[in-house]
Amino acid sequence: MNNLKGAAILGQSGGPTSVINASAAGVFIEALKQPNITHVYGAIHGIRGILNEEFYDINQEDLKELELLKTTPSSEIGSVRHKLKPLDQDDSEYRRLLEVFKKYNIRYFFYNGGNDSMDTCNKISKFFKDSGWECFCMGVPKTIDNDLVITDHCPGYASAAKYVATTMMELYKDASVYDTPMITVVEVMGRNAGWLTAASALASYKGLGPDLIYLPEITFDLDKFYSDVEEVLKRRNGKCLIAVSEGVKDKDGHYIPETFATLDKDSFGHSQLGGTATILANELKKRFNTKVRGIEFSLMQRCGQHLASKVDVTEAYQAGVRAVKAAVSGKTDYMIGFKREMKNGKYHCKYILVPLHEVANAEKKVPLEWIINNGTMLSEEYVKYALPLIQGDCKAPLEDGLPRFARLKKVLVNK
Amino acid sequence: MNNLKGAAILGQSGGPTSVINASAAGVFIEALKQPNITHVYGAIHGIRGILNEEFYDINQEDLKELELLKTTPSSEIGSVRHKLKPLDQDDSEYRRLLEVFKKYNIRYFFYNGGNDSMDTCNKISKFFKDSGWECFCMGVPKTIDNDLVITDHCPGYASAAKYVATTMMELYKDASVYDTPMITVVEVMGRNAGWLTAASALASYKGLGPDLIYLPEITFDLDKFYSDVEEVLKRRNGKCLIAVSEGVKDKDGHYIPETFATLDKDSFGHSQLGGTATILANELKKRFNTKVRGIEFSLMQRCGQHLASKVDVTEAYQAGVRAVKAAVSGKTDYMIGFKREMKNGKYHCKYILVPLHEVANAEKKVPLEWIINNGTMLSEEYVKYALPLIQGDCKAPLEDGLPRFARLKKVLVNK
């Protein structure tokens, strides 16, 4: 336990998830309990809110509404995509941050995001240290991409994975309804790592999922893709369900829309609308002369709180709680990580401290040995990895049959 | 009660819903109980299964799995889009149906679908009557479009509406996460009637829904659309959430993709990919030079069983049960309809019999007086109409954190 009294602030950064607010709830509720934390702030739109001195006064919120944050999707205090310049190039923003921290006597800083955000948190922490401002800086992980290193998995991933697997099962059912041929191509988020697309394999192992799954970890070859599809169509009587990551790239490193922008010589400079699924669906239609549907899970996969995993919500909340506890106990420059422990064959999550510099800007991909069937399916190892994470439901309470999300007062702190 | 002993068969037709299997469960479970019903069949892919003598033997199914049909999306026995030719043009299919009915002594015929299917049911019933084959024919309604006349609403609508409203609330949250301008255009199903798109207004009345809602009931004017959006962007600090029916048409009766195929003179015959949302999103991007996202709810809105309304599942099941009870009591040529009754301010559904010929091929649209704000929002009358229908949850039980859908044995009947 350290004895430094001061205010705490939480900022959030990057794309939201179904459970990023659960982590905020963890930070806020735990921070409000801590005697050494004199005030709790929520930075509006992450680091930008701190630079602009735009905070919500969390002390004025009702506990009941803070609890409801656990089941409110997206980022209630607002997120941002803002990368600090390297300190040796431009230190103006760092100095501004320090000024604001001093003004409000902020001694506990929590930053909730992916690997970029962990880098930001790390940079700020270093600058404060060098400037002699004692401040405990902790990272709280978040990303549907599941691509942070060292931690077993990331808050936000399991709920998005549950959305992908459940919806794939429903789509499989829907795509089987007619006795006519039908190809369905579903695009899943993930620019570099295929974790979320991999989750569609959970549906395949239930017998109600994609026949073919393409991750960005494997180079995407169009000709192989067509012959993969052809083989499935023969075997499955004209039906084929495909999951493809938005991040698949050809041998030259081009995403599908880029590939086609190049290939499509007749287009006279017209850029085709639509993403990977739409473009592939269109090509398959031409090639196989069959009904094809391109579907994009779009933002629904990251904000589908109604399909949140209970394990995920619990862990996301605990990540926030543990970050506060670690900071007040004197820890700094760590991210809360998850370590998987199996006790009597049952999954158990142990919360660990991961040095920020080890996660900053690093990226964890799906192990290549988990990608089987000539790059079109995930192995049972993946299923064993993912299944414990998607257990249980944890959706918002209903009001008039619709989700009752948190309603914060959002009282602005006077500058 | 009539005394005619014979077999019963159920066929399903048209696009599936989250609860069409619930109606099948109602027909099957009730039919298996009826002493006058000697055998229960499920026609594989609707009328085509009858023509081809391809049935599942429902007597061989476990009751537990039939119960699970209540929470299994899509059509487990398969659906079809097959319109019988007018009798005076070609009676061959009618004669074939009669032959099959006689072979299996089918005296109870249930057809589950929309207005086309009610027409089919009606035609078959008439032909049997004229041919002297005593058979009790009942329609069971189904459509996410909610466009059947006379009945207050249709099974399948409420669950799809709940999907649309809930997901809109989540998208609203997601679209609010950054402090940068952002337009989101969401396309909802419904070629002619705007009922399902209207459901997005339920989110708006919660303060977390579209700013602008466009139904096919109102002529879609591109210039007005742009100025509507511009006004919202000014008022809402660069944000705008739009729900648009796939069925909106310009003054010449063209759908959006057709309109742009005509407008886009430079395209050299290239047809643009994507539907209404993608195209509108692209146009808005050009016009307002801001971030725009086009989203299609696609098949998810009709197969999203995990967001099924309990009221809908119950009513869909009861529609099946009541159809069987009506048939064995000697009724024929009716569809089960719903009549809304308010008892002490509480919604109550009364099951009624609607003559098939009155629903066949007719279409009910959203009342124009419910469309307000110069054609961009729904009135409170709509909210009062829709809210009681989306109450309660009724999702499939979980197995490994994923839905456990019905697993029928699907024993084929020997020809």
Side-chain angles (χ1 to χ4, degrees), chain A residues 111-352:
Chain A
Y111 214 46
N112 188 188
N115 40 25
D116 273 2
S117 313
M118 294 308 126
D119 182 51
T120 301
C121 190
N122 199 27
K123 280 177 177 157
I124 293 172
S125 171
K126 268 188 194 151
F127 180 77
F128 286 173
K129 220 167 269 175
D130 294 345
S131 311
W133 181 254
E134 200 181 359
C135 183
F136 298 88
C137 301
M138 292 290 300
V140 183
K142 171 268 0 167
T143 169
I144 60 165
D145 292 333
N146 203 39
D147 59 352
L148 293 173
V149 294
I150 303 171
T151 186
D152 176 77
H153 56 282
C154 306
Y157 173 62
S159 295
K162 187 164 177 145
Y163 177 95
V164 167
T166 303
T167 307
M168 280 291 181
M169 290 175 73
E170 293 173 340
L171 284 178
Y172 183 95
K173 286 284 183 194
D174 194 288
S176 313
V177 76
Y178 301 119
D179 58 354
T180 43
M182 163 95 168
I183 304 174
T184 310
V185 188
V186 184
E187 179 178 339
V188 183
M189 279 182 172
R191 289 302 265 186
N192 297 308
W195 290 104
L196 196 51
T197 308
S200 61
L202 299 174
S204 304
Y205 276 79
K206 288 278 172 196
L208 302 171
D211 304 288
L212 302 167
I213 300 174
Y214 297 94
L215 309 191
E217 280 79 357
I218 305 280
T219 300
F220 189 80
D221 181 277
L222 264 175
D223 289 328
K224 177 181 173 296
F225 172 65
Y226 297 138
S227 76
D228 289 347
V229 173
E230 193 168 13
E231 187 276 320
V232 173
L233 291 175
K234 273 184 201 151
R235 183 164 45 82
R236 280 239 292 129
N237 226 345
K239 303 263 193 228
C240 185
L241 178 58
I242 302 159
V244 60
S245 167
E246 60 168 343
V248 295
K249 289 176 276 289
D250 66 18
K251 63 178 174 13
D252 302 319
H254 295 131
Y255 295 112
I256 298 294
E258 296 167 354
T259 306
F260 278 86
T262 316
L263 279 181
D264 206 354
K265 296 274 164 59
D266 304 329
S267 71
F268 297 93
H270 261 252
S271 70
Q272 286 280 30
L273 300 181
T276 302
T278 311
I279 291 171
L280 290 180
N282 195 48
E283 289 304 306
L284 290 171
K285 191 179 289 175
K286 285 192 241 167
R287 188 164 288 251
F288 294 106
N289 192 26
T290 185
K291 195 175 176 189
V292 186
R293 209 180 252 272
I295 294 177
E296 214 184 320
F297 281 163
S298 192
L299 302 179
M300 288 84 86
Q301 66 201 299
R302 76 176 188 194
C303 68
Q305 195 285 326
H306 63 273
L307 268 174
S309 139
K310 193 173 178 183
V311 168
D312 193 23
V313 172
T314 307
E315 292 178 353
Y317 179 77
Q318 280 300 323
V321 169
R322 306 291 170 127
V324 173
K325 286 185 172 171
V328 294
S329 80
K331 296 280 191 288
T332 187
D333 294 336
Y334 290 103
M335 181 190 84
I336 300 295
F338 300 158
K339 187 163 182 252
R340 178 185 302 245
E341 291 187 334
M342 298 303 283
K343 290 186 176 171
N344 303 323
K346 278 195 120 178
Y347 166 85
H348 179 257
C349 178
K350 190 179 168 190
Y351 300 90
I352 56 171

Side-chain angles (χ1 to χ4, degrees), chain A residues 14-16 45 48 72-76 78-81 162-163 165-167 169-171 173-180 182 184 189 202-203 206 208 264 266-268 270-274 278-279 282 293-300 302-307 387 390-393 395 398-407 410, chain B residues 14-16 45 48 72-76 78-81 162-163 165-167 169-171 173-180 182 184 189 202-203 206 208 264 266-268 270-274 278-279 282 293-300 302-307 387 390-393 395 398-407 410:
Chain A
H45 299 296
R48 192 173 302 152
T72 301
S74 188
S75 169
E76 200 60 22
S79 187
V80 72
R81 296 194 187 277
K162 187 164 177 145
Y163 177 95
T166 303
T167 307
M169 290 175 73
E170 293 173 340
L171 284 178
K173 286 284 183 194
D174 194 288
S176 313
V177 76
Y178 301 119
D179 58 354
T180 43
M182 163 95 168
T184 310
M189 279 182 172
L202 299 174
K206 288 278 172 196
L208 302 171
D264 206 354
D266 304 329
S267 71
F268 297 93
H270 261 252
S271 70
Q272 286 280 30
L273 300 181
T278 311
I279 291 171
N282 195 48
R293 209 180 252 272
I295 294 177
E296 214 184 320
F297 281 163
S298 192
L299 302 179
M300 288 84 86
R302 76 176 188 194
C303 68
Q305 195 285 326
H306 63 273
L307 268 174
L387 265 193
I390 64 160
Q391 296 305 302
D393 286 338
K395 62 184 273 184
L398 292 185
E399 182 183 74
D400 295 335
L402 294 171
R404 162 66 162 92
F405 296 139
R407 293 182 197 130
K410 298 192 176 177
Chain B
H45 299 296
R48 192 174 302 153
T72 300
S74 189
S75 170
E76 200 59 22
S79 186
V80 72
R81 297 194 187 276
K162 187 164 178 144
Y163 177 95
T166 303
T167 307
M169 290 175 74
E170 293 174 341
L171 284 177
K173 285 282 183 197
D174 193 288
S176 312
V177 76
Y178 300 119
D179 59 354
T180 42
M182 164 94 168
T184 311
M189 279 182 171
L202 299 174
K206 289 277 173 195
L208 303 170
D264 206 352
D266 305 328
S267 71
F268 297 93
H270 262 251
S271 70
Q272 285 281 28
L273 301 180
T278 311
I279 291 171
N282 194 49
R293 210 180 250 272
I295 293 176
E296 215 184 319
F297 281 163
S298 192
L299 301 179
M300 289 84 86
R302 76 178 189 193
C303 68
Q305 195 285 326
H306 62 274
L307 268 174
L387 265 193
I390 64 161
Q391 297 306 302
D393 286 337
K395 63 184 271 184
L398 292 186
E399 182 183 74
D400 296 334
L402 294 171
R404 163 66 162 92
F405 296 139
R407 292 181 199 131
K410 297 193 176 176

Side-chain angles (χ1 to χ4, degrees), chain A residues 378-395:
Chain A
L378 277 294
S379 70
E380 279 188 48
E381 275 67 37
Y382 170 74
V383 176
K384 272 184 217 158
Y385 166 82
L387 265 193
L389 311 180
I390 64 160
Q391 296 305 302
D393 286 338
C394 193
K395 62 184 273 184

Side-chain angles (χ1 to χ4, degrees), chain B residues 147-162:
Chain B
D147 60 352
L148 292 173
V149 295
I150 303 171
T151 186
D152 177 77
H153 56 281
C154 307
Y157 173 62
S159 294
K162 187 164 178 144

